[in-house]
Amino acid sequence: MSLAKTVALHTLGCKLNYSETSAITRLLEQDGFEKREFTEVADVYVINTCSVTDNADKECRQLVRRIQRKSPGSIIVITGCYAQLKPEEIASIEGVDLVLGAAEKFKITQHLKDLTKGNSAKICSCDIEFDTSFSLSDRTRSFLKVQDGCNYNCSFCTIPMARGKSRSNSIENIITQVKQLAESGVKEIVLTGINLGDFSPPQTPDRGGLQAQNFFDLIRKLDQAEGPERYRISSIEPNLLSNDIVEFVANSKKFMPHFHIPLQSGSNKILGLMRRRYRKELYADKVHLIKKLMTHCAIGVDVIVGFPGESDEDFKETYDFINHLDISYLHVFTYSERDNTAALQIKPVVPMSVRNERNKMLRNLSYRKQNAFIQQHLSETRKVLFEQRNKNGLMEGYTDNYIKVTASYKEEWVNQIVDWKI
Ligand code: SF4
């Protein structure tokens, strides 16, 4: 192929995918590509897919069709979880030239070198290793991947198939990366992973023996190392959120008072069917401990509604459980069937109309929880990190405890931590 020089990228899915798209962009830029917006014409288009997003295949097909209409001669590359899970299906989409699995996506420049626009797509997918990635689109905040993959087997989830077994970066590498990010001006780093609490870096020799390290070791070392002013922990399973971690965050100046803890259901029966590794009582204990030590702490909760077998009573149990919990906001997901998952065997299936109704009820509850949380902090002065973008004369930022603030744009506040009365 004549060497393509412009590339446009699009991300579907989670924060981890965003940080990986940033890493892929940097690799392509180092190889001489110029980045274009996805809406513009480019020589190469890359779509980083997700297997958790509903209708991943539909979204992917639509994007490919749009590219073909706009720029029929461009190379189209599909990567990410969906590409790892269903490479053949993606390769059969008309217009797709290259399908890169989880390990191959960071070798994209090599793959592009000997590729020509043709009638069939080349599939490259092999074993999955750990690849470093972080996002750096806006210098204020960066999402840094420290762990990938998952050894759990939740019955609804395709991530272990798509991203492989749990693996982690070494603490030494992470310390080097955070130092570099801070030197480039990043003020806040969000530690991300698929199952972050399962962080277990390659073992290092220590006083003659091999020493196993965990997520608690990582945050303690980061707290002492040179790095940004702020850290956030993106999402952590309740059974892996140890009391040590909570107590540490409560006393740290660098780790922000904010946890995101997947609950998925407030019914122990449904948690069992989901093969989650905790019960609601443990979840409630964690929330109580956090709020006892940090009354101002934000707590976000993931919930899935309409899981097979979820009766009206089970849903009510979930609703009441969350309603009584001192949490700050919810991310509500409607259960959707995924190929090759154990949940497909569970009956009865919940009708889609009921799933949608339950989703609406929990979104309303989330709205009330979020408002109540903000009300609790009105008139307080909290530290806000303002971001770069000027949106019609306004700028946005987040407090330490994740309250979004909008202010009149002031250039001197960009990427600064400012005392702000809420
Ligand atoms: S913990 Fe469960 S839901 Fe989360 S990635 Fe692992 S298998 Fe999927």
Side-chain angles (χ1 to χ4, degrees):
M1 120 182 161
S2 63
L3 201 59
K5 280 295 168 200
T6 55
V7 63
L9 300 97
H10 187 81
T11 312
L12 302 167
C14 63
K15 285 174 181 158
L16 204 69
N17 262 14
Y18 280 92
S19 74
E20 289 185 349
T21 304
S22 291
I24 295 169
T25 309
R26 280 192 298 278
L27 287 173
L28 289 163
E29 284 175 340
Q30 281 160 15
D31 201 50
F33 281 87
E34 277 173 31
K35 193 181 165 209
R36 294 280 182 274
E37 292 301 317
F38 202 72
T39 46
E40 292 178 305
V41 170
D43 298 310
V44 176
Y45 289 86
V46 180
I47 304 172
N48 192 5
T49 60
C50 172
S51 65
V52 179
T53 321
D54 288 341
N55 305 321
D57 58 335
K58 213 169 112 201
E59 259 179 287
C60 191
R61 273 168 211 278
Q62 278 170 353
L63 287 167
V64 172
R65 235 176 285 137
R66 219 181 295 159
I67 296 166
Q68 282 203 296
R69 273 199 302 271
K70 189 167 50 192
S71 181
S74 299
I75 297 274
I76 302 180
V77 184
I78 314 288
T79 186
C81 290
Y82 186 50
Q84 176 76 22
L85 270 185
K86 301 201 171 165
E88 306 287 344
E89 195 176 305
I90 293 191
S92 70
I93 302 175
E94 204 190 315
V96 172
D97 299 290
L98 180 63
V99 182
L100 293 180
E104 299 297 315
K105 61 188 160 205
F106 296 106
K107 297 180 193 150
I108 186 166
T109 53
Q110 278 159 257
H111 290 294
L112 281 174
K113 283 210 166 70
D114 26 63
L115 190 73
T116 43
K117 182 91 192 158
N119 295 327
S120 62
K122 185 178 164 199
I123 297 174
C124 303
S125 100
C126 58
D127 285 349
I128 304 170
E129 296 156 2
F130 189 86
D131 282 290
T132 300
S133 66
F134 55 85
S135 68
L136 198 53
S137 52
D138 164 325
R139 278 167 185 269
T140 312
R141 273 207 290 173
S142 176
F143 296 95
L144 176 67
K145 182 173 90 173
V146 299
Q147 183 275 344
D148 201 346
C150 183
N151 296 341
Y152 286 16
N153 58 347
C154 303
S155 60
F156 54 83
C157 184
T158 53
I159 283 180
M161 286 178 263
R163 303 197 76 113
K165 291 263 174 231
S166 178
R167 58 219 181 269
S168 307
N169 204 350
S170 70
I171 294 185
E172 293 67 33
N173 282 350
I174 297 167
I175 288 177
T176 309
Q177 283 171 343
V178 299
K179 189 165 174 266
Q180 284 167 354
L181 285 169
E183 281 166 1
S184 73
V186 168
K187 289 280 190 328
E188 181 176 305
I189 290 179
V190 186
L191 302 176
T192 63
I194 289 291
N195 190 343
L196 193 58
D198 197 25
F199 176 83
S200 47
Q203 292 192 2
T204 48
D206 184 69
R207 290 193 195 113
L210 283 177
Q211 202 189 12
Q213 294 171 305
N214 59 23
F215 188 66
F216 182 44
D217 295 313
L218 173 67
I219 60 173
R220 274 190 307 175
K221 293 211 169 136
L222 287 179
D223 201 66
Q224 283 161 13
E226 257 181 87
E229 289 174 52
R230 288 178 162 197
Y231 286 102
R232 248 174 239 282
I233 299 170
S234 72
S235 173
I236 186 162
E237 291 286 304
N239 49 309
L240 295 173
L241 177 59
S242 65
N243 293 356
D244 283 345
I245 296 175
V246 175
E247 283 161 20
F248 181 81
V249 170
N251 291 308
S252 166
K253 288 211 164 43
K254 289 191 181 172
F255 278 83
M256 295 298 102
H258 176 201
F259 288 100
H260 193 95
I261 320 168
L263 167 67
Q264 311 307 22
S265 174
S267 146
N268 282 342
K269 176 189 119 189
I270 299 297
L271 287 174
L273 290 172
M274 288 176 164
R275 297 190 192 154
R276 302 288 290 164
R277 301 197 181 187
Y278 54 87
R279 293 298 174 258
K280 62 194 279 192
E281 292 75 17
L282 177 130
Y283 195 97
D285 286 349
K286 296 291 166 189
V287 171
H288 292 150
L289 177 68
I290 293 169
K291 294 308 261 194
K292 193 174 108 192
L293 300 180
M294 294 167 272
T295 49
H296 57 292
C297 189
I299 302 179
V301 183
D302 288 339
V303 201
I304 297 173
V305 292
F307 188 79
E310 187 187 65
S311 64
D312 287 343
E313 293 72 39
D314 299 328
F315 175 69
K316 188 172 180 310
E317 197 185 333
T318 294
Y319 187 96
D320 292 343
F321 180 68
I322 298 172
N323 198 16
H324 288 106
L325 274 185
D326 192 0
I327 54 101
S328 324
Y329 63 92
L330 301 171
H331 284 171
V332 187
F333 300 88
T334 300
Y335 171 77
S336 69
E337 284 76 5
R338 308 258 180 246
D339 289 350
N340 304 318
T341 52
L344 292 177
Q345 309 303 324
I346 304 170
K347 302 280 175 298
V349 165
V350 179
M352 200 43 98
S353 57
V354 177
R355 297 185 209 179
N356 292 339
E357 186 54 33
R358 290 177 186 170
N359 182 307
K360 205 159 119 192
M361 286 173 73
L362 282 189
R363 272 188 290 128
N364 282 337
L365 179 59
S366 176
Y367 181 74
R368 280 194 279 120
K369 287 281 183 192
Q370 197 160 16
N371 271 337
F373 183 67
I374 294 169
Q375 291 293 327
Q376 282 167 21
H377 297 284
L378 280 186
S379 310
E380 278 179 14
T381 299
R382 304 211 72 90
K383 298 214 175 290
V384 173
L385 173 57
F386 280 105
E387 295 174 0
Q388 215 151 16
R389 278 210 298 172
N390 181 344
K391 281 192 196 160
N392 305 321
L394 297 173
M395 67 198 309
E396 287 174 350
Y398 285 90
T399 63
D400 55 344
N401 59 349
Y402 212 57
I403 294 173
K404 191 172 173 177
V405 164
T406 308
S408 296
Y409 185 82
K410 279 195 190 158
E411 207 174 333
E412 64 272 25
W413 282 0
V414 168
N415 201 14
Q416 296 301 318
I417 296 172
V418 175
D419 280 329
W420 180 268
K421 190 167 174 197
I422 297 176

